[in-house]
Amino acid sequence: MTNKNKTVWSNRFKSTTSKSFQRIGSSINIDKRLYEQDIFASKVHTQMLIKNKIIPAKEGRKIIKGLDKIKNQIKKGKFIFREKFEDIHLNIEKKLYEIIGNSAGYMHTARSRNDQVVTDFKLWVKESTLILINELNSLMKNIIIKSEKNTETVMPGFTHLKNAQPISFAHYLLAYYEMFKRDNQRFLNNLNLIDESPLGAAALSGTSYKIDRNFTSKKLGFKKPTNNSIDTVSDRDFAIDFLYACAVCAMHLSRLAEDFIILNSDAYQLISFSDHMLTGSSIMPQKKNPDPAELIRGRTGINYGKLNSILTIMKGLPISYFKDLQDDKALVFDGFDTLKDTLIMSNELIKNIKPNKKRMFEMAKSGYTTATDFADYLVKDKNLSFREAYKISSKIVNYAEKKRKNLDELTLNEIKKFYKDLNISVLKIFDVKNSMNSKNSFGGTSEKNVKKYDKKI
Ligand code: ARG
């Protein structure tokens, strides 16, 4: 076997690794996604080795040039990734040998694949977190734009999917803005925790070379080097945190999607999607189905699955490095890809919904949604206890139900059957817009509140 085809450990082995294990155990098809981070970290590592005179500067410079060449080859699709060399780290090292010969052998001084892989992976998670934050920001912006047009739009607020109280459609949308604001913060918090450089922990115990971990940490954009070399190569908390933040965000998106699916259903017809966001049926000519919203809802399952898998892989794993850890990357990559697509679809969805204002208003009036307002009126204006007022209001609801009327269709005389001391001004209590705008408490649904709502991104 030529040197070119040999694994780096071949001298120690009597036979080559089994073919089936080579296929199953190789991660190159997944971790080739780390090539930029790997080359970046290898260059920084080499710079440090030169600076601290651990390797000859001449060899170091060859390594750096060779790495740049490899990066170009990969970018142009001219690099052949080989299963035999397991992963991105060894594929690049092998290629470096091809390009600069034995000088390549200096690169892996004072490091191991164990600290190398966590370094690459952390760099990737940091960058990808920023991509998701960006998508989240535009989603929040689109929600604000939609809500600003709908401050005055009254809709029925539901509890138990039963008409509860009139609310502003803007206020309803801004509830989601709050969730996404927390998701954003959750991703940002993670960036804080991830910000320690693993490079230099080597296999598990550190190294006897006089390396400069502060230098590499700074150059790689981390706040500081990690404290404990064993923890460094064992730790995948940052991947779990990332997948957890993805899962929570996906959960919020699935609630938004489900809400929209319900509001768009033929039974509700409170919002419509532009055709952009709909698909037809292969058999039923009349159908317009909200498939994108359904995918947003469904894919949450994928995000939950990735989180569950990584937690299970990590459970009971003795500390330091084990091959179990190799599967962490596929989970994180899939979690990222899934959430990114879900966010892109959600952005489209928000832009392409239209409230059916007339129907929202009509539905807000049905289901006796102002019954609580009337009870509150009796408490505030007639000094009744809330329980007493509640009783009177429920009797009015029973009456209206029997007469098949909405509350705002009752006459003053009809209302007076239940409480005598009332004049015509009481009728405005049953007006849904008035009800909405009376909810002036901090965080409530009144137009005034919604207009001055703190919408910072
Ligand atoms: N491909 C490996 C992974 O992703 C790199 C680390 C390998 N280390 C080792 N001791 N086998 O985990």
Side-chain angles (χ1 to χ4, degrees):
M1 198 185 281
T2 63
N3 225 359
K4 210 174 134 188
N5 277 320
K6 279 187 179 164
T7 57
V8 292
W9 48 77
S10 59
N11 291 328
R12 170 96 178 94
F13 283 65
K14 290 199 184 77
S15 67
T16 54
T17 314
S18 93
K19 277 272 177 286
S20 51
F21 179 73
Q22 260 183 42
R23 180 181 61 78
I24 298 163
S26 158
S27 59
I28 187 62
N29 283 327
I30 289 157
D31 59 27
K32 63 182 176 200
R33 240 173 125 160
L34 293 176
Y35 82 90
E36 278 189 281
Q37 291 77 12
D38 195 68
I39 289 174
F40 174 46
S42 287
K43 282 169 68 176
V44 168
H45 178 67
T46 308
Q47 282 168 14
M48 185 279 293
L49 294 177
I50 299 172
K51 176 182 85 69
N52 282 17
K53 301 195 166 48
I54 296 169
I55 63 169
K58 195 173 84 210
E59 308 292 2
R61 282 196 291 272
K62 275 194 220 161
I63 292 171
I64 290 170
K65 263 200 190 143
L67 287 171
D68 281 335
K69 256 195 202 145
I70 294 173
K71 188 164 137 184
N72 269 335
Q73 284 183 4
I74 300 178
K75 270 217 163 103
K76 288 187 186 140
K78 285 189 181 144
F79 189 102
I80 298 164
F81 294 101
R82 297 182 60 190
E83 215 167 59
K84 184 179 171 98
F85 300 135
E86 264 194 44
D87 57 24
I88 186 65
H89 324 293
L90 294 176
N91 266 270
I92 288 176
E93 187 175 322
K94 272 280 163 188
K95 183 52 105 187
L96 194 62
Y97 267 97
E98 268 178 43
I99 299 175
I100 64 170
N102 283 339
S103 303
Y106 288 92
M107 179 171 70
H108 211 55
T109 318
R111 76 169 184 190
S112 148
R113 272 189 302 162
N114 296 353
D115 57 341
Q116 189 180 356
V117 71
V118 203
T119 305
D120 298 357
F121 198 19
K122 274 191 169 184
L123 289 171
W124 188 92
V125 171
K126 277 173 77 172
E127 286 165 34
S128 304
T129 298
L130 294 178
I131 294 171
L132 293 180
I133 286 177
N134 218 16
E135 277 303 326
L136 263 170
N137 279 337
S138 64
L139 182 59
M140 286 157 73
K141 261 191 207 128
N142 283 325
I143 290 178
I144 290 172
I145 291 169
K146 193 59 71 177
S147 76
E148 274 167 353
K149 289 187 191 129
N150 284 290
T151 322
E152 294 173 26
T153 310
V154 189
M155 69 178 279
F158 305 102
T159 61
H160 310 269
L161 269 191
K162 303 282 285 179
N163 294 12
Q165 291 181 329
I167 56 170
S168 146
F169 185 48
H171 194 58
Y172 160 86
L173 291 173
L174 290 169
Y176 282 99
Y177 167 84
E178 287 296 317
M179 295 174 223
F180 299 131
K181 198 163 76 177
R182 288 195 295 274
D183 290 334
N184 226 331
Q185 195 55 48
R186 199 168 289 113
F187 279 117
L188 283 170
N189 292 346
N190 290 349
L191 285 183
N192 222 15
L193 267 183
I194 199 174
D195 217 6
E196 296 184 352
S197 168
L199 198 60
L204 79 162
S205 63
T207 175
S208 57
Y209 293 99
K210 298 275 172 282
I211 60 172
D212 184 347
R213 292 195 65 203
N214 285 320
F215 174 88
T216 48
S217 166
K218 203 165 160 205
K219 285 259 171 187
L220 291 170
F222 289 103
K223 229 179 335 194
K224 64 184 272 300
T226 50
N227 285 327
N228 180 300
S229 58
I230 304 172
D231 172 56
T232 303
V233 296
S234 325
D235 169 39
R236 293 296 183 273
D237 289 2
F238 64 92
I240 294 171
D241 289 342
F242 178 78
L243 287 176
Y244 172 69
C246 288
V248 176
C249 181
M251 176 270 287
H252 290 148
L253 293 167
S254 82
R255 296 182 77 174
L256 176 81
E258 172 67 351
D259 260 357
F260 283 2
I261 291 165
I262 292 172
L263 297 183
N264 171 253
S265 67
D266 290 334
Y268 280 75
Q269 296 176 44
L270 291 181
I271 61 168
S272 55
F273 297 115
S274 66
D275 281 358
H276 220 56
M277 287 287 103
L278 297 163
T279 54
S281 151
S282 62
I283 174 171
M284 297 169 281
Q286 84 283 11
K287 288 298 286 293
K288 284 191 172 185
N289 298 327
D291 286 17
E294 290 169 11
L295 278 184
I296 293 169
R297 181 180 58 191
R299 291 210 173 146
T300 311
I302 296 178
N303 280 106
Y304 282 13
K306 306 297 162 188
L307 174 63
N308 218 341
S309 301
I310 197 159
L311 284 169
T312 312
I313 287 175
M314 296 309 291
K315 182 201 167 293
L317 190 68
I319 61 172
S320 104
Y321 182 84
F322 292 86
K323 193 74 166 177
D324 314 41
L325 292 171
Q326 180 164 280
D327 287 335
D328 56 0
K329 284 169 289 299
L331 299 174
V332 167
F333 294 162
D334 286 352
F336 168 79
D337 291 340
T338 305
L339 185 66
K340 188 169 160 233
D341 280 350
T342 312
L343 281 165
I344 290 171
M345 278 194 286
S346 304
N347 258 310
E348 292 269 321
L349 204 64
I350 280 283
K351 285 193 269 185
N352 284 287
I353 56 156
K354 223 175 102 193
N356 182 346
K357 294 188 186 181
K358 208 167 147 242
R359 190 162 158 81
M360 279 186 169
F361 189 67
E362 288 309 316
M363 203 191 260
K365 287 201 288 187
S366 71
Y368 319 104
T369 55
T370 51
T372 317
D373 297 277
F374 183 64
D376 290 338
Y377 169 79
L378 294 178
V379 171
K380 286 187 274 187
D381 270 49
K382 309 295 175 190
N383 287 326
L384 264 59
S385 79
F386 181 74
R387 277 288 160 256
E388 185 58 24
Y390 177 101
K391 210 189 300 168
I392 294 167
S393 185
S394 56
K395 281 183 187 160
I396 295 180
V397 172
N398 285 341
Y399 174 84
E401 198 174 42
K402 214 162 79 198
K403 295 281 173 189
R404 295 178 185 281
K405 282 182 168 186
N406 284 335
L407 288 179
D408 69 339
E409 290 163 344
L410 296 176
T411 63
L412 178 62
N413 280 339
E414 283 178 305
I415 299 163
K416 278 174 98 168
K417 284 186 191 162
F418 301 91
Y419 191 85
K420 280 196 187 63
D421 179 21
L422 294 171
N423 63 42
I424 195 78
S425 70
V426 72
L427 294 182
K428 76 167 190 303
I429 298 299
F430 298 108
D431 176 88
V432 286
K433 193 144 194 186
N434 181 69
S435 159
M436 174 180 102
N437 284 329
S438 71
K439 306 292 161 42
N440 241 327
S441 56
F442 183 78
T445 190
S446 74
E447 280 173 53
K448 221 165 109 200
N449 271 2
V450 173
K451 273 186 191 136
K452 62 171 199 238
Y453 190 84
D454 182 13
K455 292 171 269 204
K456 262 188 247 113
I457 292 180

